[in-house]
mmCIF file of all heavy atoms in Angstrom:
data_model
loop_
_atom_site.group_PDB
_atom_site.id
_atom_site.type_symbol
_atom_site.label_atom_id
_atom_site.label_comp_id
_atom_site.label_asym_id
_atom_site.label_seq_id
_atom_site.Cartn_x
_atom_site.Cartn_y
_atom_site.Cartn_z
ATOM 1 N N ALA A 161 202.733 -99.559 -110.513
ATOM 2 C CA ALA A 161 201.885 -100.550 -111.119
ATOM 3 C C ALA A 161 200.613 -100.896 -110.288
ATOM 4 O O ALA A 161 199.564 -101.293 -110.853
ATOM 5 C CB ALA A 161 202.628 -101.783 -111.411
ATOM 6 N N GLY A 162 200.733 -100.572 -108.997
ATOM 7 C CA GLY A 162 199.646 -100.889 -108.135
ATOM 8 C C GLY A 162 198.804 -99.728 -107.810
ATOM 9 O O GLY A 162 197.937 -99.861 -106.914
ATOM 10 N N GLU A 163 198.832 -98.659 -108.595
ATOM 11 C CA GLU A 163 198.177 -97.482 -108.270
ATOM 12 C C GLU A 163 196.663 -97.664 -108.090
ATOM 13 O O GLU A 163 196.052 -97.211 -107.238
ATOM 14 C CB GLU A 163 198.499 -96.307 -109.171
ATOM 15 C CG GLU A 163 197.729 -94.989 -108.915
ATOM 16 C CD GLU A 163 198.139 -93.813 -109.695
ATOM 17 O OE1 GLU A 163 198.915 -94.036 -110.694
ATOM 18 O OE2 GLU A 163 197.692 -92.678 -109.355
ATOM 19 N N GLY A 164 196.042 -98.469 -109.054
ATOM 20 C CA GLY A 164 194.577 -98.574 -109.012
ATOM 21 C C GLY A 164 194.223 -99.285 -107.752
ATOM 22 O O GLY A 164 193.192 -98.894 -107.087
ATOM 23 N N ALA A 165 194.969 -100.217 -107.349
ATOM 24 C CA ALA A 165 194.581 -101.082 -106.157
ATOM 25 C C ALA A 165 194.748 -100.147 -104.901
ATOM 26 O O ALA A 165 193.881 -100.227 -103.968
ATOM 27 C CB ALA A 165 195.541 -102.276 -105.952
ATOM 28 N N TYR A 166 195.851 -99.344 -104.777
ATOM 29 C CA TYR A 166 196.096 -98.508 -103.654
ATOM 30 C C TYR A 166 195.055 -97.404 -103.613
ATOM 31 O O TYR A 166 194.580 -97.081 -102.503
ATOM 32 C CB TYR A 166 197.471 -97.911 -103.698
ATOM 33 C CG TYR A 166 198.579 -98.953 -103.760
ATOM 34 C CD1 TYR A 166 199.709 -98.766 -104.545
ATOM 35 C CD2 TYR A 166 198.520 -100.074 -102.997
ATOM 36 C CE1 TYR A 166 200.645 -99.722 -104.632
ATOM 37 C CE2 TYR A 166 199.444 -101.164 -103.013
ATOM 38 C CZ TYR A 166 200.703 -100.857 -103.839
ATOM 39 O OH TYR A 166 201.575 -101.759 -103.848
ATOM 40 N N ARG A 167 194.725 -96.852 -104.705
ATOM 41 C CA ARG A 167 193.644 -95.729 -104.633
ATOM 42 C C ARG A 167 192.310 -96.345 -104.231
ATOM 43 O O ARG A 167 191.530 -95.701 -103.477
ATOM 44 C CB ARG A 167 193.538 -95.121 -106.053
ATOM 45 C CG ARG A 167 194.814 -94.385 -106.503
ATOM 46 C CD ARG A 167 195.270 -93.234 -105.637
ATOM 47 N NE ARG A 167 196.463 -92.622 -106.211
ATOM 48 C CZ ARG A 167 197.218 -91.826 -105.616
ATOM 49 N NH1 ARG A 167 197.060 -91.672 -104.205
ATOM 50 N NH2 ARG A 167 198.359 -91.288 -106.104
ATOM 51 N N ALA A 168 191.966 -97.562 -104.663
ATOM 52 C CA ALA A 168 190.729 -98.160 -104.379
ATOM 53 C C ALA A 168 190.697 -98.498 -102.939
ATOM 54 O O ALA A 168 189.619 -98.244 -102.248
ATOM 55 C CB ALA A 168 190.483 -99.375 -105.299
ATOM 56 N N GLY A 169 191.785 -99.036 -102.391
ATOM 57 C CA GLY A 169 191.891 -99.385 -101.030
ATOM 58 C C GLY A 169 191.703 -98.127 -100.042
ATOM 59 O O GLY A 169 191.057 -98.128 -99.086
ATOM 60 N N ALA A 170 192.414 -96.949 -100.538
ATOM 61 C CA ALA A 170 192.178 -95.845 -99.821
ATOM 62 C C ALA A 170 190.881 -95.243 -99.743
ATOM 63 O O ALA A 170 190.279 -94.832 -98.728
ATOM 64 C CB ALA A 170 193.309 -94.826 -100.272
ATOM 65 N N GLU A 171 190.223 -95.369 -100.819
ATOM 66 C CA GLU A 171 188.824 -94.866 -101.087
ATOM 67 C C GLU A 171 187.898 -95.613 -100.178
ATOM 68 O O GLU A 171 187.000 -95.059 -99.474
ATOM 69 C CB GLU A 171 188.440 -94.936 -102.545
ATOM 70 C CG GLU A 171 187.089 -94.298 -102.744
ATOM 71 C CD GLU A 171 186.625 -94.388 -104.213
ATOM 72 O OE1 GLU A 171 187.428 -94.801 -105.122
ATOM 73 O OE2 GLU A 171 185.477 -93.941 -104.568
ATOM 74 N N ARG A 172 188.054 -96.955 -100.095
ATOM 75 C CA ARG A 172 187.151 -97.730 -99.233
ATOM 76 C C ARG A 172 187.472 -97.334 -97.762
ATOM 77 O O ARG A 172 186.470 -97.163 -97.032
ATOM 78 C CB ARG A 172 187.520 -99.188 -99.472
ATOM 79 C CG ARG A 172 186.993 -99.822 -100.726
ATOM 80 C CD ARG A 172 186.996 -101.288 -100.701
ATOM 81 N NE ARG A 172 188.387 -101.816 -100.541
ATOM 82 C CZ ARG A 172 189.235 -102.054 -101.575
ATOM 83 N NH1 ARG A 172 188.878 -101.855 -102.774
ATOM 84 N NH2 ARG A 172 190.482 -102.532 -101.299
ATOM 85 N N LEU A 173 188.697 -97.194 -97.387
ATOM 86 C CA LEU A 173 189.016 -96.906 -95.991
ATOM 87 C C LEU A 173 188.452 -95.480 -95.642
ATOM 88 O O LEU A 173 187.998 -95.263 -94.531
ATOM 89 C CB LEU A 173 190.533 -96.988 -95.748
ATOM 90 C CG LEU A 173 190.990 -96.695 -94.332
ATOM 91 C CD1 LEU A 173 190.227 -97.550 -93.341
ATOM 92 C CD2 LEU A 173 192.545 -96.929 -94.342
ATOM 93 N N VAL A 174 188.687 -94.532 -96.534
ATOM 94 C CA VAL A 174 188.230 -93.218 -96.274
ATOM 95 C C VAL A 174 186.685 -93.178 -96.016
ATOM 96 O O VAL A 174 186.138 -92.467 -95.179
ATOM 97 C CB VAL A 174 188.655 -92.260 -97.402
ATOM 98 C CG1 VAL A 174 187.906 -90.898 -97.251
ATOM 99 C CG2 VAL A 174 190.148 -91.996 -97.368
ATOM 100 N N GLY A 175 186.002 -94.025 -96.928
ATOM 101 C CA GLY A 175 184.529 -94.062 -96.725
ATOM 102 C C GLY A 175 184.156 -94.601 -95.394
ATOM 103 O O GLY A 175 183.193 -94.138 -94.728
ATOM 104 N N GLU A 176 184.901 -95.634 -94.934
ATOM 105 C CA GLU A 176 184.619 -96.195 -93.597
ATOM 106 C C GLU A 176 184.907 -95.148 -92.475
ATOM 107 O O GLU A 176 184.163 -95.062 -91.495
ATOM 108 C CB GLU A 176 185.382 -97.426 -93.343
ATOM 109 C CG GLU A 176 185.101 -98.550 -94.304
ATOM 110 C CD GLU A 176 186.105 -99.732 -94.148
ATOM 111 O OE1 GLU A 176 186.966 -99.609 -93.337
ATOM 112 O OE2 GLU A 176 185.999 -100.724 -94.975
ATOM 113 N N LEU A 177 185.951 -94.488 -92.589
ATOM 114 C CA LEU A 177 186.378 -93.456 -91.585
ATOM 115 C C LEU A 177 185.437 -92.267 -91.549
ATOM 116 O O LEU A 177 184.989 -91.738 -90.503
ATOM 117 C CB LEU A 177 187.690 -92.975 -91.803
ATOM 118 C CG LEU A 177 188.788 -94.061 -91.547
ATOM 119 C CD1 LEU A 177 190.154 -93.634 -92.043
ATOM 120 C CD2 LEU A 177 188.938 -94.288 -90.030
ATOM 121 N N GLU A 178 184.908 -91.796 -92.812
ATOM 122 C CA GLU A 178 183.930 -90.834 -92.905
ATOM 123 C C GLU A 178 182.548 -91.181 -92.232
ATOM 124 O O GLU A 178 181.913 -90.394 -91.542
ATOM 125 C CB GLU A 178 183.687 -90.426 -94.322
ATOM 126 C CG GLU A 178 184.860 -89.523 -94.926
ATOM 127 C CD GLU A 178 184.685 -89.284 -96.286
ATOM 128 O OE1 GLU A 178 183.810 -89.858 -96.900
ATOM 129 O OE2 GLU A 178 185.408 -88.343 -96.862
ATOM 130 N N ALA A 179 182.261 -92.440 -92.340
ATOM 131 C CA ALA A 179 180.975 -93.021 -91.695
ATOM 132 C C ALA A 179 181.246 -92.983 -90.206
ATOM 133 O O ALA A 179 180.227 -92.680 -89.408
ATOM 134 C CB ALA A 179 180.690 -94.353 -92.217
ATOM 135 N N LEU A 180 182.379 -93.401 -89.648
ATOM 136 C CA LEU A 180 182.695 -93.330 -88.247
ATOM 137 C C LEU A 180 182.626 -91.935 -87.728
ATOM 138 O O LEU A 180 182.017 -91.662 -86.630
ATOM 139 C CB LEU A 180 184.042 -93.940 -88.006
ATOM 140 C CG LEU A 180 184.549 -94.086 -86.591
ATOM 141 C CD1 LEU A 180 183.552 -94.950 -85.773
ATOM 142 C CD2 LEU A 180 185.936 -94.652 -86.509
ATOM 143 N N ASP A 181 183.224 -90.960 -88.520
ATOM 144 C CA ASP A 181 183.012 -89.638 -88.067
ATOM 145 C C ASP A 181 181.651 -89.123 -87.973
ATOM 146 O O ASP A 181 181.292 -88.437 -86.998
ATOM 147 C CB ASP A 181 183.896 -88.709 -89.137
ATOM 148 C CG ASP A 181 183.723 -87.286 -88.940
ATOM 149 O OD1 ASP A 181 184.073 -86.821 -87.799
ATOM 150 O OD2 ASP A 181 183.241 -86.555 -89.750
ATOM 151 N N ALA A 182 180.820 -89.499 -88.930
ATOM 152 C CA ALA A 182 179.446 -89.079 -88.835
ATOM 153 C C ALA A 182 178.693 -89.667 -87.664
ATOM 154 O O ALA A 182 177.945 -89.019 -87.075
ATOM 155 C CB ALA A 182 178.703 -89.668 -90.234
ATOM 156 N N GLU A 183 179.026 -90.863 -87.212
ATOM 157 C CA GLU A 183 178.482 -91.515 -86.066
ATOM 158 C C GLU A 183 178.897 -90.666 -84.847
ATOM 159 O O GLU A 183 178.082 -90.444 -83.988
ATOM 160 C CB GLU A 183 178.947 -92.989 -85.907
ATOM 161 C CG GLU A 183 178.412 -93.927 -87.018
ATOM 162 C CD GLU A 183 178.903 -95.336 -86.679
ATOM 163 O OE1 GLU A 183 179.109 -95.702 -85.491
ATOM 164 O OE2 GLU A 183 179.252 -96.056 -87.717
ATOM 165 N N TYR A 184 180.121 -90.262 -84.765
ATOM 166 C CA TYR A 184 180.561 -89.466 -83.624
ATOM 167 C C TYR A 184 179.854 -88.117 -83.570
ATOM 168 O O TYR A 184 179.435 -87.570 -82.598
ATOM 169 C CB TYR A 184 182.137 -89.211 -83.790
ATOM 170 C CG TYR A 184 182.862 -90.227 -82.842
ATOM 171 C CD1 TYR A 184 183.077 -91.435 -83.281
ATOM 172 C CD2 TYR A 184 183.349 -89.743 -81.653
ATOM 173 C CE1 TYR A 184 183.830 -92.390 -82.457
ATOM 174 C CE2 TYR A 184 184.072 -90.609 -80.855
ATOM 175 C CZ TYR A 184 184.277 -91.933 -81.272
ATOM 176 O OH TYR A 184 184.981 -92.849 -80.423
ATOM 177 N N ARG A 185 179.752 -87.463 -84.806
ATOM 178 C CA ARG A 185 179.080 -86.142 -84.807
ATOM 179 C C ARG A 185 177.627 -86.232 -84.386
ATOM 180 O O ARG A 185 177.164 -85.357 -83.678
ATOM 181 C CB ARG A 185 179.224 -85.589 -86.249
ATOM 182 C CG ARG A 185 180.719 -85.226 -86.518
ATOM 183 C CD ARG A 185 180.853 -84.412 -87.788
ATOM 184 N NE ARG A 185 182.289 -84.159 -88.084
ATOM 185 C CZ ARG A 185 183.051 -83.329 -87.380
ATOM 186 N NH1 ARG A 185 182.455 -82.494 -86.461
ATOM 187 N NH2 ARG A 185 184.307 -83.205 -87.684
ATOM 188 N N THR A 186 177.033 -87.251 -84.831
ATOM 189 C CA THR A 186 175.502 -87.476 -84.416
ATOM 190 C C THR A 186 175.548 -87.893 -82.921
ATOM 191 O O THR A 186 174.773 -87.261 -82.113
ATOM 192 C CB THR A 186 174.932 -88.574 -85.306
ATOM 193 O OG1 THR A 186 174.930 -88.206 -86.566
ATOM 194 C CG2 THR A 186 173.476 -88.756 -84.835
ATOM 195 N N GLY A 187 176.284 -88.781 -82.511
ATOM 196 C CA GLY A 187 176.275 -89.359 -81.160
ATOM 197 C C GLY A 187 176.664 -88.367 -80.082
ATOM 198 O O GLY A 187 176.182 -88.324 -78.973
ATOM 199 N N LEU A 188 177.552 -87.345 -80.441
ATOM 200 C CA LEU A 188 178.030 -86.490 -79.456
ATOM 201 C C LEU A 188 177.399 -84.981 -79.668
ATOM 202 O O LEU A 188 177.875 -84.014 -79.044
ATOM 203 C CB LEU A 188 179.591 -86.339 -79.450
ATOM 204 C CG LEU A 188 180.328 -87.566 -79.145
ATOM 205 C CD1 LEU A 188 181.833 -87.426 -79.153
ATOM 206 C CD2 LEU A 188 179.927 -88.178 -77.720
ATOM 207 N N ALA A 189 176.451 -84.921 -80.557
ATOM 208 C CA ALA A 189 175.882 -83.579 -80.836
ATOM 209 C C ALA A 189 175.336 -82.992 -79.603
ATOM 210 O O ALA A 189 175.378 -81.703 -79.486
ATOM 211 C CB ALA A 189 174.760 -83.728 -81.858
ATOM 212 N N GLY A 190 174.754 -83.717 -78.633
ATOM 213 C CA GLY A 190 174.351 -83.104 -77.385
ATOM 214 C C GLY A 190 175.264 -82.869 -76.372
ATOM 215 O O GLY A 190 174.981 -82.456 -75.213
ATOM 216 N N CYS A 191 176.641 -83.175 -76.691
ATOM 217 C CA CYS A 191 177.671 -82.999 -75.626
ATOM 218 C C CYS A 191 178.538 -81.821 -75.897
ATOM 219 O O CYS A 191 179.574 -81.700 -75.172
ATOM 220 C CB CYS A 191 178.498 -84.219 -75.679
ATOM 221 S SG CYS A 191 177.796 -85.750 -75.303
ATOM 222 N N ALA A 192 178.199 -81.007 -76.833
ATOM 223 C CA ALA A 192 179.034 -79.853 -77.198
ATOM 224 C C ALA A 192 179.428 -79.060 -75.939
ATOM 225 O O ALA A 192 178.538 -78.654 -75.189
ATOM 226 C CB ALA A 192 178.389 -79.021 -78.183
ATOM 227 N N GLY A 193 180.793 -78.809 -75.816
ATOM 228 C CA GLY A 193 181.200 -77.994 -74.650
ATOM 229 C C GLY A 193 181.424 -78.779 -73.383
ATOM 230 O O GLY A 193 181.947 -78.262 -72.369
#
């Protein structure tokens, strides 16, 4: 019964984590290797 709430919560969290990943990829771009 809570599927809509759980999927929405996961979608929000995934968006935040993808943004964090993008920060890392940009911030560490000059550190490769």
Side-chain angles (χ1 to χ4, degrees):
E163 180 170 8
Y166 300 140
R167 300 296 184 200
E171 184 177 356
R172 286 192 300 271
L173 181 53
V174 168
E176 293 171 4
L177 292 166
E178 287 177 344
L180 181 60
D181 173 58
E183 290 179 38
Y184 262 77
R185 292 191 182 282
T186 299
L188 297 180
C191 298

